Amino acid sequence: MKSLLALLILLAAATFSFAQNEQAPILEKDIAYKDWTYKNIRTGEDVNLRNFAKDKKLVMVVYFAPWCPNWRHDAPMLQKLYDKYKDQGLGVVAVGVYDPVDSMRKNLDALKITFPAVYESELRSDKQKTLHYQYRRSTGDARGWGSPWYIFLSPKTMEKKGETLINRAFVINGELIEKEGEEFIRKHLLLKTPLAANDPIEVCDPDKKLAELQKP
């Protein structure tokens, strides 16, 4: 009995570990990404993407399925980035797919997600009918379900009217690599890139000599 329990634990651990192994780089791709108006998961109100992006410098759209371990892995990182950069012009909006709205709502609450979230589909059987499926396939994402999947939009380059917002954009066909993601966000928000570990340390007063700053 103990050996069976140990085997089940090992299988569960292996499954969890595999589920977290979908990190992917940020790549620029040709993609005819369309404007959308979806229902807010929490309130039921309409959210239009073009309107949402108006006062932002960069918008990150992340598609997610509540039952997906990869989404649960990424969600805390996204919340941290949102909290850190929302006042500098970053917009984040999640698009739920392939699960009932109530499950999406409970998932967002459990993960303590505060950025806006809408939904495109409620049924797993609709997978190949969704725009989410078409977009990620067009950018080379061969995963079964594609959760999470990201597209970054620069409002200043988006079409002001019409069905299509943009014809080329940066996407992630998998999980976010946190360091790369933050560097990308800072660059597009026109923020200074954080110092690397081997960069020289800047002094507060450039007129002071290094010897004056050293402790006696």
Side-chain angles (χ1 to χ4, degrees):
M1 184 67 180
K2 288 183 178 179
S3 60
L4 178 60
L5 180 61
L7 179 60
L8 290 173
I9 292 172
L10 286 172
L11 287 172
T15 301
F16 181 79
S17 176
F18 177 78
Q20 304 308 312
N21 192 26
E22 290 187 359
Q23 288 189 332
I26 300 173
L27 298 174
E28 191 173 16
K29 296 281 187 176
D30 291 326
I31 177 172
Y33 192 75
K34 299 177 181 178
D35 188 24
W36 49 249
T37 299
Y38 292 145
K39 296 288 185 183
N40 186 297
I41 291 171
R42 297 183 178 97
T43 67
E45 296 177 350
D46 286 343
V47 178
N48 175 259
L49 180 55
R50 185 180 271 119
N51 288 338
F52 173 79
K54 279 183 178 178
D55 60 345
K56 312 293 191 303
K57 295 179 181 177
L58 178 69
V59 173
M60 181 198 307
V61 182
V62 53
Y63 289 76
F64 76 99
W67 40 262
C68 178
N70 304 90
W71 157 247
R72 294 196 293 270
H73 174 266
D74 273 22
M77 287 192 294
L78 302 186
Q79 183 63 46
K80 182 168 69 173
L81 291 170
Y82 174 70
D83 289 339
K84 189 172 182 179
Y85 294 110
K86 61 182 178 180
D87 292 336
Q88 280 73 46
L90 175 67
V92 180
V93 58
V95 181
V97 287
Y98 317 136
D99 219 26
V101 174
D102 187 54
S103 295
M104 296 178 189
R105 187 182 303 111
K106 290 177 180 177
N107 175 261
L108 295 172
D109 290 344
L111 294 171
K112 297 180 172 56
I113 297 301
T114 64
F115 49 80
V118 300
Y119 66 95
E120 180 188 12
S121 170
E122 295 186 73
L123 301 174
R124 297 193 190 192
S125 58
D126 285 343
K127 181 178 77 168
Q128 295 182 353
K129 303 174 186 176
T130 61
L131 286 172
H132 166 236
Y133 181 84
Q134 295 176 30
Y135 290 143
R136 64 188 192 81
R137 288 298 186 184
S138 73
T139 58
D141 183 0
R143 293 175 298 158
W145 290 94
S147 171
W149 182 80
Y150 298 82
I151 181 166
F152 294 89
L153 304 173
S154 174
K156 66 180 181 181
T157 63
M158 284 167 38
E159 297 294 334
K160 304 304 180 186
K161 57 183 179 179
E163 183 180 48
T164 301
L165 287 177
I166 202 161
N167 286 292
R168 189 167 178 84
F170 288 93
V171 304
I172 305 176
N173 289 331
E175 294 177 70
L176 173 73
I177 300 171
E178 186 172 8
K179 183 175 184 295
E180 181 188 24
E182 183 163 15
E183 290 176 351
F184 180 90
I185 289 169
R186 292 186 67 87
K187 176 182 176 181
H188 285 79
L189 295 181
L190 304 180
L191 299 175
K192 184 178 179 181
T193 303
L195 289 174
N198 58 351
D199 283 348
I201 299 174
E202 296 179 354
V203 297
C204 298
D205 186 348
D207 293 327
K208 288 188 176 182
K209 297 179 182 180
L210 181 62
E212 296 175 354
L213 297 172
Q214 293 176 339
K215 291 183 179 181

